[in-house]
Amino acid sequence: MTDTTILTERRGHLLIVTINRPEARNAVNAAVHVGIGTALEAAEADPRIRAVIITGAGDKSFCAGADLVALSRGESLAPDNAEQQAWGFAGMVSHPISKPIIAAVNGFAFGGGCEIALMSDIIVAADHAQFGLPEVKVGLFAAAGGAFRLAQQMPRKLAMEHMLTGDPIPAARAAAFGLVNHVVPLADLMPTAIALAEKIAANAPLSVQATKRVALGIQHGHIAADAPYWEHNTIERAALMRSEDAREGPRAFAEKRKPEWKAR
């Protein structure tokens, strides 16, 4: 790719995908969406690639989620291309592939960044990393899969507490409840993720891919069990985005002030 928003590196049978917007806390805009989605398509189509690692540039943020500053300016966070739009937020959240995906979380993974991690198969986190769905603090909700996936991947009541308060989940707590596989010092993050990916890649690739498809119910590039969640998600999002509060939240965030909620 010539656009440096997303960096890709082939290492043997691995593809390492890096969100490269550290100045924006690796927040997702349309270029990130296209870059990640295109990288996943390339990985799925290439028989030489047996595992994917996704991470963020720098040591502070894996991904801050949606670029709310861009959103407050009226910019779309998705491309115009309908096929690419179907990949979901960040080109990933409704874009299941057969190749295993490891999220190497190098800092905070908030909002859509947490939803990218939730869509990954395995999470390795730096010990200072945090996860969270703070959308309720800015007049939105975790509409990129987080509202149902977090409750599926950790105890429901704990997930509800964190989703309804918007409070972050430290990496160690996330690991204690099975959301994260491994917590390591930052210096060991990529070596650990690469070693795990190489261990997976050493196995029979078609067996690994079949195992993932069966485990997640992936058929023809879709997870059938997720369909009713996405349908409900679309209805709720459409209603919420028509509200004054949904406009006020990103505006207040961009203006660095406390939002004034009207519940309408």
Side-chain angles (χ1 to χ4, degrees):
M1 297 179 187
T2 56
D3 186 344
T4 59
T5 301
I6 295 294
L7 303 177
T8 58
E9 175 191 352
R10 290 174 177 265
R11 184 178 297 206
H13 291 298
L14 312 183
L15 179 67
I16 301 173
V17 180
T18 303
I19 306 171
N20 187 38
R21 299 188 72 210
E23 75 290 347
R25 302 181 301 166
N26 296 321
V28 174
N29 60 10
V32 171
H33 180 126
V34 173
I36 292 177
T38 301
L40 295 182
E41 287 286 286
E44 187 76 333
D46 188 343
R48 295 168 297 179
I49 298 299
R50 298 181 183 178
V52 176
I53 297 173
I54 185 163
T55 192
D59 59 6
K60 294 182 174 60
S61 175
F62 170 72
C63 175
D67 189 336
L68 294 183
V69 175
L71 198 63
S72 72
R73 294 194 298 258
E75 295 179 20
S76 174
L77 304 185
D80 295 331
N81 182 290
E83 184 176 343
Q84 294 175 337
Q85 285 178 16
W87 296 336
F89 179 80
M92 179 168 176
V93 300
S94 54
H95 188 190
I97 64 171
S98 300
K99 310 294 175 73
I101 300 174
I102 297 174
V105 180
N106 56 301
F108 57 80
F110 291 159
C114 184
E115 289 166 313
I116 291 172
L118 291 171
M119 185 58 177
S120 301
D121 301 302
I122 294 170
I123 299 176
V124 180
D127 51 16
H128 71 290
Q130 297 184 71
F131 300 81
L133 296 172
E135 284 86 347
V136 293
K137 295 178 181 289
V138 292
L140 306 173
F141 84 102
F148 61 88
R149 286 188 176 131
L150 190 65
Q152 292 172 343
Q153 296 182 29
M154 66 183 295
R156 182 181 298 273
K157 287 192 169 51
L158 290 173
M160 292 302 294
E161 176 184 344
H162 285 286
M163 287 193 290
L164 299 180
T165 63
D167 288 344
I169 311 169
R173 181 172 172 83
F177 290 104
L179 182 63
V180 168
N181 298 76
H182 303 280
V183 178
V184 298
L186 179 63
D188 295 334
L189 179 68
M190 287 307 294
T192 301
I194 289 168
L196 186 55
E198 288 177 337
K199 189 172 185 179
I200 292 169
N203 292 327
L206 298 184
S207 299
V208 167
Q209 293 160 36
T211 298
K212 176 176 174 176
R213 287 194 298 269
V214 171
L216 299 187
I218 300 172
Q219 291 183 307
H220 310 297
H222 298 282
I223 300 174
D226 285 353
Y229 291 107
W230 286 121
E231 183 178 357
H232 189 188
N233 197 87
T234 299
I235 293 168
E236 294 286 356
R237 185 179 185 279
L240 184 65
M241 294 306 289
R242 290 194 295 268
S243 72
E244 292 182 32
D245 282 356
R247 293 188 291 275
E248 166 65 4
R251 188 183 302 119
F253 178 87
E255 295 172 0
K256 296 181 170 55
R257 60 174 173 81
K258 186 177 179 179
E260 298 179 11
W261 305 125
K262 298 180 179 177
R264 65 174 188 263

